[in-house]
Structure formats: C-alpha cells, structure tokens
C-alpha cells in the first residue's frame, strides 16, 4: 500500500522538477516570484545567516541604538490654558519717576526782540569751526578765588558800555549804551571746574550760582527801534560766540528777561518759564550736579548722562522754578545739552542788548538766596 502511494506521488514531484525555468525568469511578463516555504526551499536557503561577522560581547558598536530620539522624547503639545488674563487695576497710577522728562514745548520765535537769521547762521558756523574746550586744570589759587566769588567780567567785542568793579570782590556795576547789540559778558574763570568739582571725582554734589540786580531797562529811548532792550542770565561752556545771548547756541543755557523764557541751545523762540524781569528784581541762576540716584541705562550712558542735574532760577531771594538738566530737548536744538552735563568747564554769562543797567554778584555774602 505504501509502495503504491509513493509511486502515485512520484510523477507529481517529477513534474514540479521538470517545469521550464523560463517561467521563473524576471523577464517573463507573467513572472511572479515563488513564495518561500519549507516545501519550496532547501535547508541552506531557509537558514542563511545575516551578513557580516556576529556581534561580539562588550562591543558597543554591535548594540547601536536606532536613529532618532526614543518616543518619550518627542515634543509634546502644551496643555491648553483656560485661566483668564491677570486683572489690571486702571485706578493705580504707574510710577513714572524713572522715565526721562518730556521735551519742552518750544517756540519758533520770541514775542519781543529777535536776532536776525544771518546772525544765527553765522553763530552756528562759528561753533562748528570751534569745538568745545577740554577741561582745564586750575591752580589752587584760582580755585580758591572762585569759591570766594572773586571773579572779573570780560567785555565782549559787541558790548558797548561800562563794566565797573566795586569795592567788594565779585561785585560789578554795568551800564550799556542804548544801541548796544547782542552781547554775552563772561567771567574770567569758570564757576564749575571738571577737575575740581565734578561729582564723578569728588563723589559729592556741586552747586554753582550767582545773582544780578536789574536797575534799569530801556534807558535812553528816543525811537521805537531803541525800545528793544533786555538782560539774560545763564551759563556757557567755552568757546562761545559772544555776539549771541546765553542759551542761543551750543553748550549754553539761560533765562531771558525780555520774554521770561528759558533757552537751552535754542536759536529759535525758547520755552515758557517765568515772567519778564522788572527794575529792582534780583534774579539768580544755579545748577546742582549730583551723583546719579539711579544708575543710568545703556541708552543714557551712550548719550553722556552720568550725573543728575538740576537747573534752578530765583527771584528776589525765592526759588522761582527750574528744570531737569537731562530733559529731552526739542529737535530744533541741534547738539542737545552737550557741554552742560558736567563734562565741560562752565562760565557765568550775562546777555544784554539795548540800554540796560544792572549789578552782578558772584560772592555768596551778597546773595539774597542761599543755594547751599
């Protein structure tokens, strides 16, 4: 029985082995590769080893991890947040003490006397050709004289009138001619010395101050043109074009008595500040340089703002206003407050035009106001 079955199956096996090989060739359009199985593959085909040598124990390269991070390291979608935004109390006023002061609202012209545009252009060209002086090292005797108010007045080329020293050092009487042109009278020594007074060197505040008394304005008027007269008080960083009033050009500030406005490097119309000077008014101008209470920001340090600066004005022995010396200036003030930040020596300056009479006091003994 088994013999008959073996003979019956033999022709089928023989038939499989006699199939034409061309049917298994890939060039045949009807070719389909046979499915590997134990019945169609030999022993050597069923157990072919992987290529390469077998991995060695302890060889890290034989256990290389798969490419890419494991599934647990894939970025996760953040959980949604349903919390409401924080409540803002609009009734609380924010602290703006650290913000820079807003710029002053300037005018294009003064309601009283105005210099010509030609003079302004000439002064601008003059300052462009004459850069600010570097700080000068005073002698101890010069510095002592400044502290005692022993300063002299220098007559500007455009000044026409008298400068008369009085018995007490630092006291001067001045009288201009009726047709005196714009002129700035400067002192012979700086009232602020960078080498001696800068808080960056001394670590102490420094206040500079002086006063003048108005005794007459508009003297000798004969025509309407001669009616224009005025006095200004301020400080300048040299060199300064003395045919201009203090506050009109680079490195200067001043309060003008004809229109009551303040000028800080402002060739135009200044900004509202006080009222016009009157006969018998005693007015004073001062500046206090102090170490900064708050370290300057990067922008401020780049702009040269290392000190806190207060500018103040007095009238008849009473403080009558002031401003922050670091305040932002109008865009028309080209150069900003350069020279007035404590980096240059500063000189007292009195501006005049027309017929005026006044007295100047540099000594603290003669001041109505005590700035210290």
């Amino acid at each position: 029985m088994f013999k008959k079955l073996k003979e019956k199956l033999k022709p089928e096996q023989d038939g499989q082995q006699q199939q034409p090989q061309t049917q298994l060739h890939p060039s045949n359009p009807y070719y389909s590769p046979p499915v590997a199985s134990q019945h169609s593959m030999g022993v050597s085909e069923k157990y072919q080893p992987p290529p390469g040598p077998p991995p060695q124990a302890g060889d890290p390269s034989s256990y290389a991890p798969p490419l890419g991070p494991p599934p647990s390291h894939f970025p996760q979608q953040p959980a949604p947040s349903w919390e409401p935004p924080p409540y803002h109390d609009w009734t609380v006023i924010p602290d703006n003490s650290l913000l820079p002061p807003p710029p002053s609202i300037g005018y294009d012209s003064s309601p009283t006397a105005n210099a010509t545009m030609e003079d302004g252009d000439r002064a601008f060209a003059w300052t462009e050709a004459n850069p600010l002086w570097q700080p000068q090292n005073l002698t101890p005797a010069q510095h002592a004289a400044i502290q005692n108010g022993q300063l002299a007045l220098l007559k500007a080329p455009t000044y026409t009138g008298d400068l008369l020293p009085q018995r007490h050092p630092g006291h001067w009487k001045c009288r201009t001619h009726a047709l005196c042109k714009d002129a700035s009278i400067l002192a012979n020594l700086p009232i602020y010395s960078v080498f001696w007074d800068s808080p960056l060197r001394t670590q102490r505040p420094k206040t500079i101050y002086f006063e003048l008394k108005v005794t007459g304005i508009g003297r000798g008027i004969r025509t309407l043109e001669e009616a224009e007269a005025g006095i200004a008080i301020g400080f300048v960083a040299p060199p300064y074009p003395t045919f201009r009033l203090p506050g009109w050009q680079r490195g200067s500030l001043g309060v003008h008595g004809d229109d009551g406005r303040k000028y800080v490097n402002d060739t135009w119309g200044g900004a509202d500040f006080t009222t016009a000077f009157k006969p018998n008014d005693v007015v004073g101008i001062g500046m206090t340089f102090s170490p900064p209470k708050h370290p300057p920001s990067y922008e401020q340090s780049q702009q040269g703002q290392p000190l806190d600066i207060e500018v103040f004005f007095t009238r008849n022995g009473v403080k009558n206003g002031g401003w922050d010396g670091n305040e932002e200036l109008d865009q028309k003030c080209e150069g900003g407050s350069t020279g007035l930040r404590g980096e240059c020596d500063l000189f007292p300056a009195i501006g005049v035009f027309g017929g005026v009479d006044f007295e100047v006091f540099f000594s603290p003994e003669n001041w109505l106001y005590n700035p210290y």
Side-chain angles (χ1 to χ4, degrees), residues 100-106 247 249-253 262-266 271 303 323-338 340-341:
S104 300
I105 301 177
Q249 303 301 146
R250 169 211 65 193
S252 70
L253 62 84
K262 68 173 184 178
Y263 292 76
V264 183
N265 185 16
D266 188 342
Q303 297 170 3
W323 66 88
D324 187 336
N326 290 314
E327 73 178 3
E328 183 181 354
L329 300 180
D330 193 282
Q331 293 181 351
K332 295 179 294 186
C333 304
E334 298 185 21
S337 57
T338 299
L340 301 171
R341 303 170 183 150

Side-chain angles (χ1 to χ4, degrees), residues 67-368:
L67 299 178
S72 60
H73 290 179
F74 284 114
Q76 300 294 323
Q77 176 71 19
S81 174
W82 306 109
E83 298 180 1
Y87 174 74
H88 180 75
D89 188 355
W90 294 100
T91 63
V92 177
I93 301 176
D95 180 14
N96 58 4
S97 60
L98 301 181
L99 298 177
S104 300
I105 301 177
Y107 292 93
D108 292 333
S109 62
S110 171
T112 56
N114 288 281
T116 64
M117 186 65 70
E118 290 75 12
D119 283 344
D121 293 339
R122 183 161 61 98
F124 182 78
W126 191 95
T127 56
E128 289 290 295
N130 296 273
L132 290 170
W133 292 348
Q134 294 297 318
Q136 304 297 310
N137 194 3
L138 303 175
T139 66
Q142 290 174 326
H143 186 255
I146 295 170
Q147 305 311 305
N148 296 327
Q150 298 174 358
L151 301 178
L153 293 179
L154 303 178
K155 183 178 291 187
T158 54
Y159 180 88
T160 54
D162 301 322
L163 299 176
L164 304 175
Q166 302 302 295
R167 179 177 302 178
H168 193 283
H171 180 197
W172 292 75
K173 284 189 177 182
C174 309
R175 178 182 177 91
T176 68
H177 294 168
L179 297 180
C180 180
K181 297 181 179 179
D182 294 339
S184 282
I185 309 166
L186 306 183
N188 64 324
L189 291 172
I191 198 171
Y192 172 86
S193 168
V194 174
F195 283 107
W196 286 84
D197 304 322
S198 173
L200 297 179
R201 294 174 176 267
T202 66
Q203 298 302 312
R204 299 190 307 270
K206 173 62 179 179
T207 297
I208 57 176
Y209 179 77
F210 74 102
E211 291 182 349
L212 68 81
K213 180 179 181 180
V214 180
T215 55
I217 302 178
R219 170 185 39 79
I221 297 175
R222 294 186 301 272
T223 66
L224 183 61
E225 294 179 353
E226 297 178 11
E228 294 184 347
I231 305 175
I233 183 172
F235 299 104
V236 303
Y240 191 76
T242 55
F243 59 91
R244 301 284 284 172
L245 301 188
W248 277 353
Q249 303 301 146
R250 169 211 65 193
S252 70
L253 62 84
V255 177
H256 291 205
D258 59 329
D259 55 15
R261 294 178 179 177
K262 68 173 184 178
Y263 292 76
V264 183
N265 185 16
D266 188 342
T267 307
W268 304 86
D272 290 331
F273 182 66
T274 186
T275 58
F277 300 171
K278 299 178 181 179
N280 297 320
D281 274 349
V282 176
V283 296
I285 188 78
M287 297 180 70
T288 298
F289 300 90
S290 305
K293 297 179 181 178
H294 305 284
S297 64
Y298 175 79
E299 292 78 7
Q300 292 170 334
S301 61
Q302 291 296 99
Q303 297 170 3
Q305 183 182 331
L307 298 173
D308 290 345
I309 305 172
E310 177 196 5
V311 185
F312 58 95
F313 174 77
T314 67
R315 190 193 295 260
N316 300 323
V318 179
K319 206 168 187 179
N320 192 230
W323 66 88
D324 187 336
N326 290 314
E327 73 178 3
E328 183 181 354
L329 300 180
D330 193 282
Q331 293 181 351
K332 295 179 294 186
C333 304
E334 298 185 21
S337 57
T338 299
L340 301 171
R341 303 170 183 150
E343 79 276 29
C344 292
D345 296 341
L346 294 178
F347 287 67
I350 302 101
V352 296
F353 63 92
V356 292
D357 297 83
F358 58 96
E359 299 180 47
V360 182
F361 304 98
F362 292 120
S363 176
E365 298 177 7
N366 296 325
W367 294 342
L368 295 184

